[in-house]
Amino acid sequence: YLFNYRRIWKDAILLTGIVALLPLIFITLVNYRFTGQAMGSEWLLRTSRTVSNTQRAISFFLTERRSALEFIVHDNSAEVLQDPVRLSAILENLKRSFGGGFVDLGLIKSDGKQRAYVGPYGLQDKDYNDQLWFKQVIKRGVFTSDVFLGYRHVPHLVIAVKKKTPDGSFYVLRASIAIEPFNDLLANLELGGLGDAFIINHEGILQSNSRYHGRILEKIALPVPVYSETTQVQEGKSLDGEPLFIGYRFIAETPLILIIVKQKN
């Protein structure tokens, strides 16, 4: 046995291989684990930054237009706003100043009837008394709705501002906002990991088109996030069990939630 040089040679090769490879394998596994953790942290940070920046852009877009309507309704009386020529001029000035977004304007009295309207749809004298957004603006004074079809059967959202009159009554200036600016903003985001960016409401209904999770006004398969005042990024899974990074941010003073989803693999 002692002079079985072939066996001794095999044992020497085996022991040398074990001594050389075991530390290498161990280091490789440790490096793989920590590299994966570092990459995951980087993706979480990058997703969080993208969500925050995009949310600020959307919030600024809506706040800018809401402030313009508040200025108009406090700078003009109901009688002035009921003049179709004046209201049409205001709408043109809004489009010229803010670019995309504004579709039409309407003046609605306290009974819910639209007394003046300028825009591409025949909505003069429409009754909004039973509409959710009209009830909300009466209650809050200023209201931004989620996306709905309404009388025009076209997806849009509404920004409405209430103004009280000296006789104790009130009127509402209502503007319809197109969703194309949101779709354009989200579609142009550079997202890695087969990313998808979209907006939902608190019921999980899509408020913009998405790449992989459905079309506007469809319900997403992902759960609606828990409310948070800050940007959140968490890990989740798709219906197929695929691991995901899910970043979200509730958009202040609206019923909207921005979602960015990336495939972790």
Side-chain angles (χ1 to χ4, degrees):
Y1 178 83
L2 294 176
F3 294 97
N4 189 343
Y5 294 107
R6 181 177 294 277
R7 184 181 183 87
I8 293 173
W9 179 80
K10 289 180 179 180
D11 290 344
I13 294 296
L14 178 62
L15 290 174
T16 303
I18 291 175
V19 171
L21 292 178
L22 276 182
L24 181 61
I25 293 172
F26 175 76
I27 293 173
T28 301
L29 292 175
V30 171
N31 180 69
Y32 178 81
R33 178 179 179 184
F34 282 101
T35 301
Q37 291 178 347
M39 291 182 66
S41 298
E42 181 182 354
W43 274 107
L44 288 173
L45 180 61
R46 189 179 302 176
T47 303
S48 177
R49 187 182 301 116
T50 303
V51 171
S52 296
N53 292 340
T54 308
Q55 179 269 337
R56 278 194 290 269
I58 295 173
S59 181
F60 178 76
F61 178 91
L62 294 173
T63 300
E64 192 178 40
R65 283 147 182 80
R66 184 166 58 242
S67 298
L69 290 181
E70 288 183 294
F71 174 80
I72 291 168
V73 80
H74 288 94
D75 193 54
N76 298 271
S77 65
E79 291 73 21
V80 172
L81 294 175
Q82 274 189 266
D83 180 4
V85 176
R86 174 59 179 163
L87 197 61
S88 180
I90 291 174
L91 178 60
E92 290 303 316
N93 289 333
L94 289 173
K95 289 181 178 180
R96 188 180 305 111
S97 300
F98 295 99
F102 285 103
V103 177
D104 56 22
L105 281 177
L107 181 75
I108 303 166
K109 287 300 189 69
S110 58
D111 60 358
K113 293 289 184 65
Q114 187 156 249
R115 302 301 183 185
Y117 172 82
V118 290
Y121 304 97
L123 300 179
Q124 181 73 29
D125 297 324
K126 286 292 186 180
D127 189 351
Y128 293 102
N129 193 51
D130 294 329
Q131 296 287 324
L132 177 61
W133 68 264
F134 186 70
K135 296 177 180 179
Q136 290 294 329
V137 74
I138 293 175
K139 179 180 179 181
R140 302 183 184 184
V142 180
F143 181 68
T144 302
S145 75
D146 57 2
V147 176
F148 63 104
L149 296 177
Y151 288 123
R152 66 199 67 197
H153 303 291
V154 175
H156 66 286
L157 59 84
V158 163
I159 300 178
V161 180
K162 172 185 170 184
K163 173 69 182 298
K164 292 182 179 179
T165 57
D167 61 1
S169 184
F170 66 88
Y171 59 92
V172 173
L173 181 64
R174 171 192 189 272
S176 298
I177 306 297
I179 63 168
E180 283 74 17
F182 302 112
N183 285 330
D184 293 341
L185 172 64
L186 299 176
N188 291 326
L189 290 177
E190 296 183 2
L191 302 173
L194 296 176
D196 195 0
F198 49 87
I199 301 172
I200 64 172
N201 63 11
H202 292 184
E203 285 73 46
I205 305 300
L206 281 164
Q207 308 292 283
S208 66
N209 292 322
S210 70
R211 297 173 185 170
Y212 309 113
H213 295 84
R215 308 298 293 175
I216 190 169
L217 297 181
E218 294 180 353
K219 188 173 179 62
I220 62 169
L222 299 173
V224 178
V226 178
Y227 176 76
S228 174
E229 294 183 355
T230 59
T231 299
Q232 299 293 324
V233 182
Q234 59 192 18
E235 296 189 27
K237 289 187 177 181
S238 66
L239 290 178
D240 301 329
E242 183 176 10
L244 304 171
F245 285 135
I246 303 174
Y248 68 90
R249 180 68 180 264
F250 284 70
I251 300 175
E253 300 180 3
T254 75
L256 307 176
I257 311 170
L258 172 65
I259 306 283
I260 290 182
V261 179
K262 297 180 180 179
Q263 296 184 19
K264 182 177 179 181
N265 289 337

